[in-house]
């Protein structure tokens, strides 16, 4: 299945001037992500030399560490792997004059020997300026869970999921404090549209929640934010939101909140916006006719403060939907 970026399809082609001093554009970073996905799912022969450094490194939780563009390709694809259907969600792209980074949640599935397998994880690319080009030097792929029949993928090391850490467990290859885009690029100068920045606000919330990065989680809300989140109920105020979400989320470290904006209402120059965001459930992201399927959706209100978009109001609505709920 060809990888697409549905979050971009309904948005106007306007950009908020931030700076031109970034080593890479958003389009370059999206193409780099697509190149990794194309190799992983079996749709490409190699990683393009114009985007990936010769001595690049790959760190994975399921197939170890590898160096060199060709070795990275072989490790991503392998010789015995089936073809995968892979989608990316929660895509974040940031950059400055010296480096850039792109991250995404990765949702994959396949059927091998009649047995279904699905997985979710986090993909992070780090780029540096080399010989006047922005090249990927580091790829990190952490699988959070593999469901179904993982024994049909014998050369994979399954992730630690439904149990607590114990001595001898391998360290995670993605650590938010070291790899999150917002930590790597604290002062972004990459050109982003207003709508892309708004989407980043929810993606930062989801990342902070899922990766147990409570500093990022705390940066996602206004001080008087409100949220209606079953089964927690109505949460009012920054402190109640952060402390309750932190306590509620801790028992399920393997779960990821993948989502994509469906509709955004915003007047240029206005510091308030509204957004409908669909929750993507691994293994059930599309109907048979190809239409997008959402397992739930959020009604969001956002406020811009000091140039940063924050979540002001968040209502979570359970239930499968295939059409965009109205703002």
């Amino acid at each position: 299945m060809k990888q697409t970026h549905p979050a971009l399809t309904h948005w106007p082609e306007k950009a908020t001037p931030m700076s031109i001093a970034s080593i890479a554009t958003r389009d370059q970073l999206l193409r780099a992500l697509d190149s990794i996905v194309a190799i992983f799912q079996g749709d490409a022969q190699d990683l393009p030399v114009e985007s990936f450094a010769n001595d690049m490194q790959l760190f994975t939780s399921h197939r170890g560490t590898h160096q060199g563009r060709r070795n990275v390709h072989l490790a991503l694809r392998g010789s015995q792997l089936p073809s995968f259907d892979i989608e990316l969600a929660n895509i974040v792209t940031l950059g400055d004059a010296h480096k850039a980074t792109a991250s995404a949640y990765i949702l994959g599935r396949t059927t091998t020997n009649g047995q279904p397998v699905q997985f979710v994880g986090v993909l992070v690319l780090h780029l540096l300026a080399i010989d006047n080009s922005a090249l990927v030097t580091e790829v990190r792929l952490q699988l959070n869970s593999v469901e179904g029949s993982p024994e049909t993928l014998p050369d994979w090391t399954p992730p630690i999921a439904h149990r607590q850490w114990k001595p001898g467990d391998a360290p995670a290859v993605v650590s938010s404090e070291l790899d999150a885009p917002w930590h790597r690029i604290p002062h972004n100068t990459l050109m982003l549209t207003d709508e892309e920045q708004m989407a980043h606000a929810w993606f930062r919330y989801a990342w902070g929640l899922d990766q147990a990065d409570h500093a990022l989680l705390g940066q996602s809300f206004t001080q008087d934010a409100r949220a209606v989140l079953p089964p927690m109920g109505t949460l009012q105020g920054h402190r109640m939101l952060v402390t309750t979400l932190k306590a509620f989320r801790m028992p399920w470290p393997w779960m990821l909140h993948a989502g994509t904006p469906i509709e955004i209402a915003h007047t240029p120059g206005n510091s308030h916006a509204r957004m409908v965001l669909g929750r993507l459930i691994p293994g059930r992201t599309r109907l048979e006719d190809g239409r997008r399927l959402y397992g739930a959706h959020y009604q969001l209100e956002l406020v811009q403060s000091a140039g940063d978009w924050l979540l002001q109001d968040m209502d979570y609505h359970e239930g499968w939907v295939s059409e965009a709920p109205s703002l």
Side-chain angles (χ1 to χ4, degrees), residues 143-147 158-165 251-254:
L143 296 187
N144 288 55
S145 69
V146 179
E147 305 289 345
I160 302 165
H162 305 284
R163 66 167 175 82
Q164 293 182 330
W165 178 90
W252 302 288
W254 59 87

Side-chain angles (χ1 to χ4, degrees), residues 15-69:
T16 299
M18 296 182 68
S19 173
I20 61 172
S22 173
I23 66 166
T25 67
R26 179 172 170 86
D27 284 345
Q28 286 176 291
L29 295 173
L30 294 179
R31 287 196 298 269
L33 286 170
D34 282 346
S35 294
I36 293 292
V37 170
I39 295 292
F40 197 178
Q41 64 186 11
D43 290 342
Q45 296 301 313
D46 212 341
L47 295 167
V49 297
E50 65 273 15
S51 301
F52 294 84
N54 285 329
D55 59 349
M56 67 178 292
Q57 289 184 293
L58 169 69
F59 302 86
T60 75
S61 61
H62 66 297
R63 302 204 73 191
T65 299
H66 306 269
Q67 184 165 8
R69 192 170 58 246

Side-chain angles (χ1 to χ4, degrees), residues 81-96:
L81 291 180
S83 296
F84 294 109
D85 286 333
I86 292 176
E87 294 192 65
L88 298 183
N90 298 38
I91 296 172
V92 175
T93 55
L94 299 176
D96 62 25

Side-chain angles (χ1 to χ4, degrees), residues 130-288:
I130 301 174
D131 296 331
N132 298 317
S133 297
L135 298 180
V136 177
T137 58
E138 187 177 325
V139 177
R140 292 184 173 270
L141 177 56
Q142 175 75 48
L143 296 187
N144 288 55
S145 69
V146 179
E147 305 289 345
S149 302
E151 67 276 4
T152 62
L153 302 171
D155 56 350
W156 281 25
T157 300
I160 302 165
H162 305 284
R163 66 167 175 82
Q164 293 182 330
W165 178 90
K166 65 181 182 181
D169 286 343
V173 300
V174 174
S175 175
S176 183
E177 294 77 7
L178 303 175
D179 298 303
W182 302 273
H183 295 319
R184 283 280 185 137
I185 313 289
H187 305 293
N188 177 58
T189 58
L190 186 150
M191 295 285 285
L192 297 169
T193 66
D194 289 335
E195 289 79 8
E196 287 159 359
Q197 294 177 64
M198 294 170 200
H200 278 191
W202 190 86
F203 297 157
R204 179 176 56 188
Y205 151 76
W207 178 290
L209 189 63
D210 296 336
Q211 310 303 323
D213 190 331
H214 303 123
L216 281 183
L217 181 64
Q219 295 169 18
S220 302
F221 300 102
T222 63
Q223 288 301 310
D224 59 347
R226 166 192 170 274
V228 179
L229 300 169
M232 290 170 280
T234 300
L235 307 176
Q236 185 68 54
H238 185 271
R239 177 173 290 274
M240 179 173 284
L241 269 164
V242 173
T243 55
T244 305
L245 284 166
K246 177 179 176 180
F248 176 77
R249 182 64 180 82
M250 290 297 283
W252 302 288
W254 59 87
M255 183 172 61
L256 295 182
H257 288 75
T260 184
I262 300 170
E263 183 180 356
I264 293 176
H266 174 244
T267 301
N270 196 322
S271 61
H272 292 260
R274 299 177 66 195
M275 178 165 63
V276 176
L277 184 138
R279 176 82 183 274
L280 299 175
I281 306 301
R284 295 192 64 188
T285 60
R286 293 189 183 275
L287 296 170
E288 290 185 0

